[in-house]
Amino acid sequence: MANRRARPNGLNVTIDGVEMSAVEGESVLDVARRAGAAIPTLCYLDGLSVHGGCRVCLVEVDGEHAPRLACSTPVTDEMEVRTATEAITEHRRIVVELLFAEGNHICAVCVSNGSCELQDLASEVGMDHVRFPYQYPDRAADASHPKYVFDPQRCILCTRCVRACAEIEGAHVWDVAARGADSYLVTELNLPWGEAPSCTWCGKCVTVCPTGALAFKGRAIGEMEHDTDLVGFLARARTEGEWEGRS
Amino acid sequence: MSAPQTSPPAAPGSPNGAGHPSGDERFALLDKTIRRARFAQDQLIELLHTAQDIFGHLSDDVLIYLARQLRLPPSRVYGVATFYQLFTFEARGSHSCTVCTGTACFVKGADDIVRTVSDTYAVPPGQTTDDGLLTLATARCVGSCGLAPVVVVDGVVHSHQSSESTLEAVRAVAEQAQAVEAEG
């Protein structure tokens, strides 16, 4: 303990009873992942800014009344975090059920069936049915882009595509329009994607999508696999100048 | 990948060399406010208000123009503009009647008022009459719950309204307009 305290800005954090040392600025999620705690995430993605919108990374923090988001809560000294209590597990299941009720998530006919983070999460939290009334929103797919398809029925508004496009590609083609339950993804001024002049066709939005909402054109059921590590790799390569002096 | 609707307002040049290159003087008015805001991106909401005051509604052209001037992505401008219910994207009538349907007003019978105006002028809430005379809108809480039910007619707040008094207020501005039109 004495050694740890001597570290500059060193913090002592307890995750599920495991004592960890952390540095100021780290999130609960960062430290928990190091501690080996399996906190599920959807909107969080390594390499992108933190959004804190999906609410599945909820954890309990000692002394806090409400659960906190692991991804956007910075660690503090002597913080005690529990990541898998009964209440937290139930919260997470409710969140996933609400996500299913909100869109039209029909795994059996989805391009990402079998490689979908929402589907994986549902099975992880033990969701065997949905207790909330399905909203069956009427959302039309956008297949105007020559290479990709956007099906908003499968969109959970995690904004990974928005952030990948704005932060990694630098084009900011996507954004979220309207508010609350009416929110939807737009390209530019609600143009058909294929007509958005700022789209560079790079496909980063497609690779980071956790569900089958964004997919390569022409993929059949279960054929769409995403490469969600790509933006983390690019972000690291860029910040650490990995390619410098190698050309 | 051409998209005609995303191009900035056409710049045919103005006949006398003065004024705005788009040929629409209203853009010159907007430019003045943009310059006063020093092209600051965080002034977007203020500038959207100004633009709506000037143009009456926010067309795609105006949104694109603001995006270009502030160096903001169009999708961000669209996202911000659609987030707020006070912004409108279709031309509005020459008069407006906005009924507050916040909790207090609702409890005091705002839905009756909306229904009455809607039936009388044959216009669904959120839309404009076919002759462009009246826009009927609903708002979520104008922040004066003590005055419930609140109706805003042409920017003037009317408190403690009933269906009858609202109709009267709307009729007053609408008939005034028709009288002016008849005289002119």
Side-chain angles (χ1 to χ4, degrees):
Chain A
M1 284 300 260
N3 276 346
R4 268 193 220 156
R5 283 191 185 285
R7 285 167 49 131
N9 303 324
L11 307 172
N12 294 313
V13 182
T14 312
I15 310 274
D16 293 336
V18 182
E19 282 195 24
M20 299 289 295
S21 55
V23 257
E24 215 163 295
E26 280 190 298
S27 70
V28 172
L29 185 64
D30 292 331
V31 183
R33 291 235 158 126
R34 255 200 340 263
I39 300 178
T41 52
L42 274 178
C43 69
Y44 178 86
L45 192 64
D46 187 30
L48 300 179
S49 63
V50 172
H51 175 58
C54 73
R55 325 302 282 186
V56 301
C57 68
L58 289 167
V59 293
E60 271 176 21
V61 176
D62 244 14
E64 301 271 354
H65 295 295
R68 300 293 296 260
L69 295 179
C71 67
S72 64
T73 306
V75 286
T76 52
D77 203 21
E78 304 301 333
M79 190 184 233
E80 283 198 31
V81 179
R82 285 174 303 276
T83 70
T85 64
E86 214 168 286
I88 285 296
T89 313
E90 177 60 14
H91 276 312
R92 282 186 194 141
R93 185 178 152 169
I94 289 173
V95 168
V96 177
E97 285 180 33
L98 287 169
L99 285 172
F100 270 83
E102 196 176 55
N104 297 319
H105 300 283
I106 319 290
C107 300
V109 293
C110 181
V111 284
S112 283
N113 190 7
S115 54
C116 168
E117 288 178 53
L118 183 63
Q119 189 182 36
D120 294 347
L121 184 56
S123 88
E124 195 181 320
V125 299
M127 188 189 95
D128 45 13
H129 64 286
V130 171
R131 289 165 285 185
F132 306 102
Y134 282 95
Q135 302 298 301
Y136 299 114
D138 184 14
R139 302 173 184 161
D142 180 353
S144 60
H145 197 285
K147 282 175 74 179
Y148 316 115
V149 189
F150 171 48
D151 187 348
Q153 306 193 75
R154 300 167 183 155
C155 177
I156 55 168
L157 291 170
C158 67
T159 74
R160 275 189 192 178
C161 53
V162 177
R163 287 172 287 150
C165 185
E167 296 165 14
I168 309 295
E169 176 61 10
H172 206 129
V173 175
W174 297 96
D175 215 311
V176 179
R179 69 199 295 174
D182 298 324
S183 302
Y184 57 99
L185 271 181
V186 286
T187 43
E188 300 221 349
L189 291 194
N190 206 9
L191 287 179
W193 188 4
E195 292 173 23
S198 58
C199 177
T200 63
W201 298 33
C202 76
K204 290 187 189 70
C205 52
V206 178
T207 66
V208 298
C209 182
T211 72
L214 289 167
F216 295 121
K217 222 171 205 177
R219 297 292 162 98
I221 294 165
E223 287 184 356
M224 181 64 212
E225 283 183 33
H226 300 273
D227 179 9
T228 50
D229 292 337
L230 181 72
V231 296
F233 168 77
L234 288 175
R236 244 185 328 278
R238 196 172 295 173
T239 50
E240 290 169 21
E242 283 184 5
W243 313 137
E244 275 164 34
R246 286 183 206 185
S247 53
Chain B
M1 296 217 301
S2 73
Q5 63 268 56
T6 64
S7 55
S14 81
N16 52 13
H20 198 265
S22 69
D24 187 340
E25 283 312 306
R26 293 177 295 179
F27 280 102
L29 214 58
L30 183 56
D31 268 348
K32 204 186 282 176
T33 324
I34 296 173
R35 274 198 302 275
R36 205 176 302 137
R38 296 173 185 279
F39 298 85
Q41 296 181 333
D42 57 12
Q43 293 294 303
L44 175 62
I45 295 174
E46 283 303 313
L47 290 167
L48 285 168
H49 274 298
T50 310
Q52 181 160 304
D53 283 347
I54 294 171
F55 292 89
H57 69 286
L58 299 171
S59 63
D60 279 4
D61 274 353
V62 170
L63 293 176
I64 287 280
Y65 190 78
L66 278 175
R68 294 269 166 93
Q69 292 290 49
L70 299 180
R71 304 274 187 275
L72 279 169
S75 57
R76 166 55 58 86
V77 174
Y78 189 85
V80 170
T82 52
F83 183 85
Y84 296 101
Q85 294 183 335
L86 272 173
F87 294 127
T88 171
F89 303 91
E90 276 153 24
R92 311 196 63 158
S94 36
H95 297 281
S96 71
C97 172
T98 306
V99 184
C100 178
T101 53
T103 311
C105 293
F106 186 83
V107 168
K108 293 278 212 166
D111 53 338
D112 271 341
I113 300 178
V114 173
R115 208 174 306 121
T116 307
V117 179
S118 174
D119 290 349
T120 310
Y121 285 87
V123 55
Q127 293 191 25
T128 304
T129 52
D130 292 336
D131 58 1
L133 179 69
L134 181 73
T135 299
L136 173 62
T138 58
R140 282 295 147 79
C141 197
V142 297
S144 309
C145 304
L147 306 178
V150 173
V151 176
V152 184
V153 180
D154 277 3
V156 178
V157 177
H158 296 257
S159 59
H160 306 297
Q161 291 296 289
S162 64
S163 301
E164 293 74 35
S165 61
T166 304
L167 270 187
E168 218 165 275
V170 172
R171 217 173 279 139
V173 294
E175 275 168 15
Q176 194 184 3
Q178 278 162 348
V180 169
E181 212 169 89
E183 274 174 37

